[in-house]
Amino acid sequence: MIAKNNETYFFYPNYEKILSIIEPKSKVLDLGCGTGELLQRLINEKNVLGRGVEIDEKNIIKCIAKGLSVFQGNIDEGLAEYHDKSYDYVILNKTLQVTHKPEFVIKEMLRVGKKAIVSFPNFGHYSIRLNLMFTGKMPKTEILPFEWYDTPNIRLLTIKDFKTFCTKYSFKILDCECLSRTGRKIKFCFLSNLFAQEGLFVISYKKI
Amino acid sequence: MNDNSGKMTDSVGIVKTKCFTFANPPDEMMLKCGKKLGPVTLAYETYGALSPEKDNAILIFHALTGDSHAAGYHSEKDSKPGWWDTMVGPGKAFDTNKYFIICSNYLGGCKGTTGPDDINPKTKKKYGLSFPVVTITDMVKVQKKLIDHLKIKKLLAVAGGSMGGMLTLEWLISYPDSTRSAIAIATTSRLSPQAIAFDHVGRNAIISDQNWHNGTYDLDSIPKEGLAIARMIGHITYLSDASMHKKFGRRLQSRDSFGYDISSEFQVENYLKYQGDKFVERFDANTYLYLTKAMDYFDLPSRYGSLTQAFKNISAKTLVISFTSDWLFPPYQSKEIVKAMMNLDKDVSYIEIKSSYGHDAFLLETNHLTKIVKSFLTNLKLNDGK
């Protein structure tokens, strides 16, 4: 089960980035769409045909109140309800870290979508490294605020890890954005794994 | 016990069933089975006020043994309100302060709409089994006549649970431009063989009753036993293992230990008997045969080749709701509906409510349903004219 508690979960603004990536009038499926903010902005500002998948009933009710079309489902169980290549983009925005089967989920995304947009908190950030080094305890940050025993974030990874993962499974990285706390792009790429709070990748299978 | 002052506060109050008759000979209506029927009388109730623009009407479809009396009371002496009073009324999910709610008894029914229980004007005798077999398509066709009669061009929504959900889907397909939205609850595009099997046993119980006489029974000797058994079987399918545990456990009704005889001792037995006995007082046995048969025949994928083909032309915003413990209309059947609609890029949302109530959940999970339906309808209202 994937659960995100929106009261305590720290969101930082990467919506602008995603909005800038997605082409107008495309078909977008947002996995773990929460209360539908991103989806609504994509529909309003990019004129996309947007749909969502969400596990939490309370969040879905909020989506429905916004007029969004959302399917209640657990993305760890796959996307059986969706046909192959039926979407231009499948988004997994800051949800990868809570999936039980990340490899399966991403493969499903690339089955259903031509491209996948995946973002996650970067565990390689220097503050986390220092935190672990000096306290000897599992780091807690604004983005990852939970104790090790009650965190929904069971997949902690770094930007470097994700790149290795893509190579292993032959996912082509079409775009890699290393974002700071405020959603700004980190200028020096070689330092990104140290200074980026978030990694945002656009991937596809090698052959589109 | 007839002090209704309290119960009237969030109720639509005293309501009256109305009638509408059409298809008078020689203009009888043509049914799916190829036979003609007329005149057809339709019993219906309405709650709330129709807006001057006639854009706030919601048509509600009842379940198998329901009727047009969805909300309020027929008289101050009534101990129970209409079947969906928890959802229909001022401030409720189907808010009668905002919406004009219509509910009508199905063709083939026994609560005021023409059915096998009525007198055939041609023969001056009860129709009985000479009543033509009616389908969900026919039932929806008749309700469309009512909506036309009320001069409503486009409904704000159609909504229903269980068999009512079948009519909801049928409406979407038959009259795609005549509703802006649809809410299909605990329903299916076709019954599973398991569900047909239960219907079959129910029908068999009725026709095996020695009072049934090929459907020609008199009011003073109705096939009570058979109808009661049919109802008991129905009730088992509406509950779940968990809800039965919760409701009855293995408790005995009126003793502390087994009597070692074959009389009914368990609470669950007593409950079923009570439901059976109560049912025969209000429902007609032949109607039960006809309506369950109509449900069994309903099969959208076969009729259209596939579900995707069936929903190809629908245009309404749709909300599909299922319940986790419903094994009569299991969630996978709702998901099939949603899948077909999603792959046609239709505007469809799906919610699977966690509930232990089984199929009955659609009448019992009021809190969940109220929140969901309210937010769905409120958004439609906000987007008026879009």
Side-chain angles (χ1 to χ4, degrees), chain B residues 104-171:
Chain B
S104 122
N105 188 212
Y106 298 156
L107 182 65
C110 56
K111 288 300 174 77
T113 295
T114 305
D117 193 29
D118 289 312
I119 304 290
N120 181 347
K122 277 176 205 146
T123 62
K124 311 276 182 251
K125 281 185 193 159
K126 246 170 71 166
Y127 277 107
L129 288 200
S130 74
F131 194 78
V133 168
V134 288
T135 62
I136 303 281
T137 314
D138 297 322
M139 294 174 190
V140 162
K141 199 169 165 186
V142 166
Q143 302 227 4
K144 179 67 166 64
K145 294 273 184 214
L146 172 66
I147 299 307
D148 292 343
H149 167 71
L150 295 172
K151 299 196 169 54
I152 296 164
K153 284 208 179 80
K154 195 160 192 163
L155 292 160
L156 180 66
V158 288
S162 192
M163 181 184 185
M166 291 177 167
L167 274 91
T168 304
L169 299 178
E170 180 73 46
W171 186 285

Side-chain angles (χ1 to χ4, degrees), chain B residues 209-225:
Chain B
D209 189 307
Q210 55 178 1
N211 283 340
W212 183 61
H213 298 302
N214 259 328
T216 58
Y217 51 85
D218 293 324
L219 262 183
D220 48 3
S221 64
I222 60 166
K224 241 188 207 167
E225 304 298 326

